[in-house]
């Protein structure tokens, strides 16, 4: 139930009308071309202790702009002023159809109406703090109670803020580095860590100063913020403008006593100039009130920009003073997290600033820096033992098994191609087949040994052995549990001891090992010798060559006998 209080002379209290917007700020992220339209919402509350007649309840959103200055290019300064209501939007809350012909009776109590205004992204942001130039937005509510009754009214100030865009390139701090040698007197490197700053915070610059001329001394350092204002309006049928520059913040002081860096004793090679090098920082606090410093604005009629100037004074040995000047452009903006109050001042909370900095870092999707991710794995959740070669454990199972030397390639120079003709013409003998299989087993074991690691066990005086497994057979269990133990002394020999003692343990055909007589009675394996044409032929013994020579001579003699008798005729 609404409360009613006794007024003066026993009369009841008057009705109260109040506007409660959902937020006193309308925020646009970025310029008008990239920001999105938004809405201004809230409630209109009417508290009437007694019933009353109401014809209509309406609300108005109004935007007003004023631009004014005095001309300076005339003998008598002329005032130029322009005030325009560039935005007027009306909204009828009661009755809904907007009719005003009939009065309606409203009972006593608390009544609420919700309102909503569309805010296009092309709206100018609020400009406040200047006495004669501003852009303001206001909400007004009016309750028309009919004839012979004073209407009820209420107003609320709305601030339109255009902050930084949500685009990554505008959120990332843009470091400004000024590095040069000035007048052969001083080498300087002045760094401003970023370009965008919140109104009411501070700007810190890092200095590196190196005097190059003997006798030059660094004097006081100064920082100042210059606000440039450009005003535009239509006057006498033409568009006129006015520009002014005002210093809104400044600080100065001497270098800290501990700013000089000297090469430490014992250090001979220094990667930079340490002697006479001064390193220090200086901070400029920005005004916390919009009456002294505004945000950077770029609208059709009002443009405000800011420049940061840094001065370095030098005392020359001749007695005069030189001054180094460095200029940087900075952008000031109003943060929704640190908005100005009704007195147009910003209350800076360090805790809010730190939380906002952390949030900005989380929202940024910039690529990670090298310092943070230089030790990351090449691939996630993948065992690199199969492709990170050389690997003594997995080279056989992954890399070695897929090389052409196992099954796809055959060593043609080691095969007895000529014996194939004998097998095809005279039939395959058991001895020929046995020797071919023996040579094939030797070649295959030799090719396997090229890729298989050899394990040596020197304990107990046992002879080092080598084991090889086929491409379709897996090594015994525990083979990959330990790294291979190589005998380095044997490997450095030429040829190595392991190669010299490597012999086949068993023949592929016989279950029993052949005796010495059987092994020596078998014909030797054919070998090949290169010819002038690059082809190969079986090597022949001296007796075989002599027998073939005698046989060829006898055959030639029999062929030539008839011809000799014919020639004698």
């Amino acid at each position: 139930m609404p409360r009613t209080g006794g007024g003066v002379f026993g009369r009841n209290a008057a009705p109260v009308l109040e506007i409660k917007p959902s937020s006193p700020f309308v925020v646009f992220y970025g310029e008008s071309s990239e920001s999105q339209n938004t809405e201004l919402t809230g409630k209109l509350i009417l508290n009437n202790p007694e019933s009353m007649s109401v014809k209509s309840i309406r609300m108005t959103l109004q935007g007003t702009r004023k631009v004014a200055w005095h001309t300076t290019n005339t003998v008598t300064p002329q005032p130029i002023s322009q005030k325009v209501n560039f935005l007027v939007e009306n909204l009828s809350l009661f009755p809904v159809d907007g009719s005003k012909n009939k009065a309606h009776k409203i009972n006593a109590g608390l009544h609420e109406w919700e309102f909503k205004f569309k805010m296009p992204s092309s709206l100018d942001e609020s400009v406040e703090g200047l006495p004669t130039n501003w852009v303001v937005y206001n909400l007004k509510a009016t309750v028309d109670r009919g004839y012979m009754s004073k209407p009820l009214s209420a107003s609320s100030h709305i601030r339109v803020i255009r902050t930084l865009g949500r685009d990554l390139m505008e959120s990332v701090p843009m470091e400004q580095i000024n590095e040069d040698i000035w007048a052969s007197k001083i080498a300087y490197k002045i760094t401003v860590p970023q370009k965008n700053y919140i109104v009411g915070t501070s700007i810190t610059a890092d200095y590196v100063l190196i005097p190059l001329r003997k006798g030059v001394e660094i004097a006081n350092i100064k920082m100042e913020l210059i606000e440039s204002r450009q005003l535009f309006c239509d006057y006498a049928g033409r568009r006129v403008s006015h520009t002014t520059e005002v210093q809104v913040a400044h600080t100065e002081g001497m270098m800290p006593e501990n700013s000089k860096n000297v090469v430490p004793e014992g250090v001979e090679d220094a990667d930079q100039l340490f002697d006479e090098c001064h390193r220090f920082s200086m901070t400029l606090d920005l005004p916390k009130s919009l009456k002294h410093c505004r945000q950077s604005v770029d609208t059709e009629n009002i443009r405000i920009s800011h420049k940061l100037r840094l001065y370095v004074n030098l005392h020359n040995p001749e007695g005069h003073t030189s001054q180094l000047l460095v200029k940087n452009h900075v952008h000031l903006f109003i943060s929704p997290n640190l908005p100005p109050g009704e007195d147009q001042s910003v209350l800076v909370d360090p805790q809010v600033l730190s939380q906002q900095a952390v949030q900005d870092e989380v929202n940024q999707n910039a690529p990670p820096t090298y310092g943070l991710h230089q030790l990351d794995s090449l691939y996630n959740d993948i065992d690199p033992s199969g492709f990170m070669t050389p690997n003594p454990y997995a080279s056989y199972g992954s890399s070695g098994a897929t090389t052409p030397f196992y099954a796809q390639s055959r060593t043609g120079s080691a095969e007895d191609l000529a014996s194939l003709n004998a097998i095809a013409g005279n039939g395959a003998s058991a001895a020929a087949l046995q020797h071919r299989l023996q040579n094939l087993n030797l070649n295959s074991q030799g090719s396997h040994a090229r890729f298989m690691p050899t394990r040596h066990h020197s304990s107990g005086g046992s002879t080092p052995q080598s084991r090889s497994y086929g491409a379709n057979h897996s090594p015994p269990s525990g083979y990959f549990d330990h790294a291979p133990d190589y005998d380095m002394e044997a490997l450095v020999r030429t040829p190595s001891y392991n190669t010299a003692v490597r012999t086949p343990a068993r023949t592929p055909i016989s279950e029993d090992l052949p005796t010495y007589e059987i092994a020596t009675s078998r014909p030797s394996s054919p070998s090949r010798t290169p010819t002038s044409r690059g082809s190969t032929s079986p090597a022949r013994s001296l007796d075989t060559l002599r027998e073939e020579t005698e046989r060829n001579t006898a055959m030639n003699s029999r062929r030539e006998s008839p011809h000799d008798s014919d020639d004698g005729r």
Side-chain angles (χ1 to χ4, degrees), residues 486-498:
Y486 294 101
D487 187 359
M488 301 306 298
E489 295 182 0
L491 291 176
V492 297
R493 299 179 184 177
T494 308
S496 64
Y497 178 77
N498 299 332

Side-chain angles (χ1 to χ4, degrees), residues 48 57 97 148 313 333 431:
N48 53 317
I57 301 176
D97 56 0
M148 297 296 292
N313 294 324
F333 66 98

Side-chain angles (χ1 to χ4, degrees), residues 6-227:
V8 182
F9 304 111
R11 300 180 59 183
N12 293 330
V16 177
L17 185 64
E18 185 180 6
I19 300 176
K20 287 189 176 182
S22 300
S23 174
F25 311 103
V26 177
V27 183
F28 293 107
Y29 294 91
E31 301 298 330
S32 58
S33 59
E34 60 178 332
S35 57
Q36 298 180 356
N37 299 337
T38 185
E39 294 179 346
L40 173 62
T41 61
K43 295 180 180 181
L44 178 64
I45 301 176
L46 174 61
N47 187 2
N48 53 317
E50 297 179 351
S51 60
M52 64 179 184
S53 297
V54 174
K55 293 187 63 176
S56 64
I57 301 176
R58 63 183 185 274
M59 295 190 66
T60 301
L61 174 62
Q62 181 175 306
T64 306
R65 176 179 56 244
K66 182 180 180 180
V67 178
W69 72 86
H70 286 79
T71 60
T72 57
N73 55 355
T74 57
V75 178
T76 303
Q78 299 293 327
I80 296 178
S81 179
Q82 184 181 25
K83 184 178 180 180
V84 178
N85 293 329
F86 62 92
L87 176 65
V88 177
E89 287 192 13
N90 297 314
L91 179 63
S92 178
L93 300 181
F94 181 82
V96 180
D97 56 0
S99 61
K100 302 179 182 179
N101 298 328
K102 183 179 180 181
H104 302 269
K105 187 175 182 179
I106 297 180
N107 297 328
L110 187 65
H111 306 275
E112 294 182 357
W113 292 270
E114 294 184 355
F115 63 85
K116 180 189 300 183
F117 289 94
K118 294 182 179 180
M119 307 291 288
S121 61
S122 59
L123 283 179
D124 294 343
E125 60 182 307
S126 298
V127 180
E128 302 175 12
L130 295 174
T132 58
N133 301 277
W134 33 264
V135 177
V136 295
Y137 294 86
N138 290 288
L139 270 176
K140 294 183 178 180
T142 304
V143 177
D144 186 2
R145 297 193 290 178
Y147 183 71
M148 297 296 292
S149 296
K150 185 179 180 179
L152 299 177
S153 61
S155 63
S156 177
H157 175 230
I158 301 297
R159 181 175 279 113
V160 176
I161 298 175
R162 190 174 294 277
T163 185
L164 292 182
R166 293 177 177 175
D167 185 29
L168 177 64
M169 297 305 296
E170 294 187 7
S171 300
V172 173
M174 292 175 287
E175 188 178 51
Q176 302 182 80
I177 300 177
N178 307 273
E179 186 175 8
D180 203 352
I181 297 177
W182 180 72
S184 300
K185 297 181 180 180
I186 186 173
Y188 65 92
K189 180 180 179 181
I190 303 176
T191 304
V192 180
Q194 61 188 50
K195 182 179 180 180
N196 305 316
Y197 292 92
I198 302 175
V199 173
T201 57
S202 59
I203 302 175
T204 300
D206 299 326
Y207 292 81
V208 178
L209 305 178
I210 307 174
L212 302 178
R213 184 179 175 185
K214 186 176 181 180
V216 174
E217 297 181 358
I218 301 174
N220 62 322
I221 313 296
K222 180 181 178 181
M223 296 176 61
E224 66 176 2
L225 184 66
I226 304 298
E227 183 176 278

Side-chain angles (χ1 to χ4, degrees), residues 341-371:
E342 290 298 329
D343 59 349
Q344 299 181 359
S345 62
V346 178
L347 180 60
V348 179
D349 188 354
Q351 184 177 0
V352 174
L353 283 179
S354 61
Q355 292 177 355
Q356 183 63 23
V358 172
Q359 187 66 24
D360 292 342
E361 184 177 357
V362 171
N363 292 335
Q364 292 175 8
N365 296 322
T369 60
Y370 176 79

Side-chain angles (χ1 to χ4, degrees), residues 406-418:
Y406 277 91
Q408 290 81 2
S409 177
R410 302 182 67 182
T411 309
S413 60
E415 294 205 16
D416 188 7
L417 300 179

